[in-house]
Amino acid sequence: MSDDRTLQKTERQPRDFIGYGPNPPFVIWPGGVKVAINLVLNYEEGAEYSWLDDGRNDNWGEYNIPNSPPVRDLGTETHFEYGSRAGIWRLARLFDRYQIPITVSACAVALERNPAVVAWMNDRGHDLLGHGLRWHEYSSMPRDEEERELYEAIALYEKLTGRRPLGWNCRSFPSVNTRDLIVREGGFLYYSDPCNDDLPYFVDHAGTRLLVVPYSKTLNDSRYLIAPGYSNPRDFAEDCRSAIDYMMSEADETGGRMLTIGIHARWMGQPNRASGLRDVIEHVRKTPGAGFMRREDIARYWLENHESFDRRA
């Protein structure tokens, strides 16, 4: 694609520095909840780049390795395998114990390689957020290849789970084509690559109204691997508690908000880190007005009720 054509595509998505401005919608979530916490379990194990499948290694195992060696990295492979063998089930037991509704942002191939995870998701009623056919970097992928992977992923999700994803979120960040492909496919309820608000909002994409349910990288266990980040589970738990408590303190003035907490089976599934997540769950349970919601439920509630929300001056 020429530089001119690339520029034309990026210009179709102008940046918005204003959003709702100083008077956002005054929201109360179902059940009187003021802070709707969406706990997103990213399940990517088995869909990452690997030497056997791609002739390259992934760099997000237990360490963030900027320059992977040009040989098969068996260490990183087993870091990912920990997530699918042990980590996912430690987290599943934790969610089951507290009866927490979560969103599973899963790559289709990762689910294909671990059918028991699909059975657990379906049995517990957790919703599915599309996360790609594989855990590929879509930001620089050619449009036709990204489109092919999108449709292959949807077909595989339907085959494995009996349902298609209603939302979409790429690895790291999307390409300039992703939003257009999502809209053209026509079956998505919402889109979750943007990280630019505390509330859902609508965008006009070539005449189609698209609901954005924002994601966030702020409260994310990837910070165990980067600096500055989390050095121990107390850091993660305190970071989450601080965000929840601050949102609760301003809710009577601003209205309710949503808060995304992103975790991964291979990272948060480690026993020390899972203890920090357990502390966050217990804090939410002790905080009146805070509660967990699936991403699909947030999207549907917004679609059905957004016109009734006040805009207080």
Side-chain angles (χ1 to χ4, degrees), residues 40-274:
V40 180
L41 170 59
N42 293 276
Y43 187 70
E44 301 147 350
E45 289 77 7
E48 76 278 4
Y49 291 107
S50 71
W51 194 264
L52 293 180
D53 293 326
D54 308 292
R56 59 166 287 190
N57 303 298
D58 212 296
N59 62 336
W60 280 97
E62 180 58 25
Y63 305 102
N64 179 19
I65 305 173
N67 297 303
S68 182
V71 295
R72 185 179 179 188
D73 184 350
L74 291 169
T76 295
E77 287 183 16
T78 57
H79 294 157
F80 275 90
E81 290 164 12
Y82 184 90
S84 60
R85 292 164 60 106
I88 183 65
W89 301 119
R90 175 168 291 112
L91 296 174
R93 291 190 296 271
L94 180 63
F95 302 142
D96 289 352
R97 189 179 311 131
Y98 288 93
Q99 298 184 342
I100 301 298
I102 69 164
T103 295
V104 181
S105 180
C107 296
V109 168
L111 294 180
E112 183 180 37
R113 290 179 169 174
N114 202 342
V117 175
V118 176
W120 170 74
M121 287 172 53
N122 284 347
D123 183 63
R124 302 304 191 272
H126 300 311
D127 68 329
L128 170 66
L129 174 61
H131 199 35
L133 179 67
R134 293 184 55 203
W135 202 44
H136 279 164
E137 295 166 343
Y138 288 95
S139 55
S140 58
M141 184 178 289
R143 180 185 174 96
D144 57 349
E145 184 178 353
E146 182 177 1
E147 183 174 31
R148 175 184 59 78
E149 289 208 2
L150 173 66
Y151 281 86
E152 287 185 13
I154 292 170
L156 186 53
Y157 286 127
E158 291 177 330
K159 175 184 175 182
L160 297 172
T161 70
R163 51 183 162 145
R164 60 159 295 146
L166 297 178
W168 193 261
N169 174 263
C170 292
R171 172 177 177 157
S172 299
F173 57 97
S175 76
V176 296
N177 299 305
T178 304
R179 194 172 84 182
D180 189 58
L181 293 173
I182 292 298
V183 169
R184 288 177 180 274
E185 194 278 333
F188 287 95
L189 188 69
Y190 67 93
Y191 179 50
S192 278
D193 275 320
C195 300
N196 53 4
D197 215 304
D198 297 321
L199 289 173
Y201 62 91
F202 293 99
V203 294
D204 179 273
H205 183 91
T208 297
R209 189 177 72 165
L210 176 66
L211 176 64
V212 174
V213 180
Y215 192 64
S216 175
K217 307 291 176 62
T218 304
L219 303 176
N220 193 296
D221 60 357
S222 63
R223 292 185 178 275
Y224 282 112
L225 279 68
I226 60 177
Y230 304 138
S231 62
N232 60 69
R234 293 186 299 277
D235 291 343
F236 170 80
E238 183 58 29
D239 210 14
C240 292
R241 284 195 296 261
S242 295
I244 294 165
D245 291 350
Y246 195 91
M247 281 189 161
M248 286 298 304
S249 73
E250 65 179 3
D252 289 339
E253 177 186 0
T254 65
R257 293 289 182 271
M258 65 169 288
L259 183 69
T260 298
I261 299 175
I263 63 172
H264 297 72
R266 62 190 178 279
W267 299 331
M268 195 62 75
Q270 299 283 347
N272 56 329
R273 296 168 183 159

Side-chain angles (χ1 to χ4, degrees), residues 285-306:
R285 288 167 63 92
K286 296 174 183 176
T287 303
F292 292 100
M293 285 183 69
R294 304 184 314 164
R295 190 157 285 250
E296 179 182 336
D297 297 330
I298 290 173
R300 292 192 184 280
Y301 185 76
W302 199 267
L303 287 166
E304 294 169 2
N305 296 280
H306 71 276

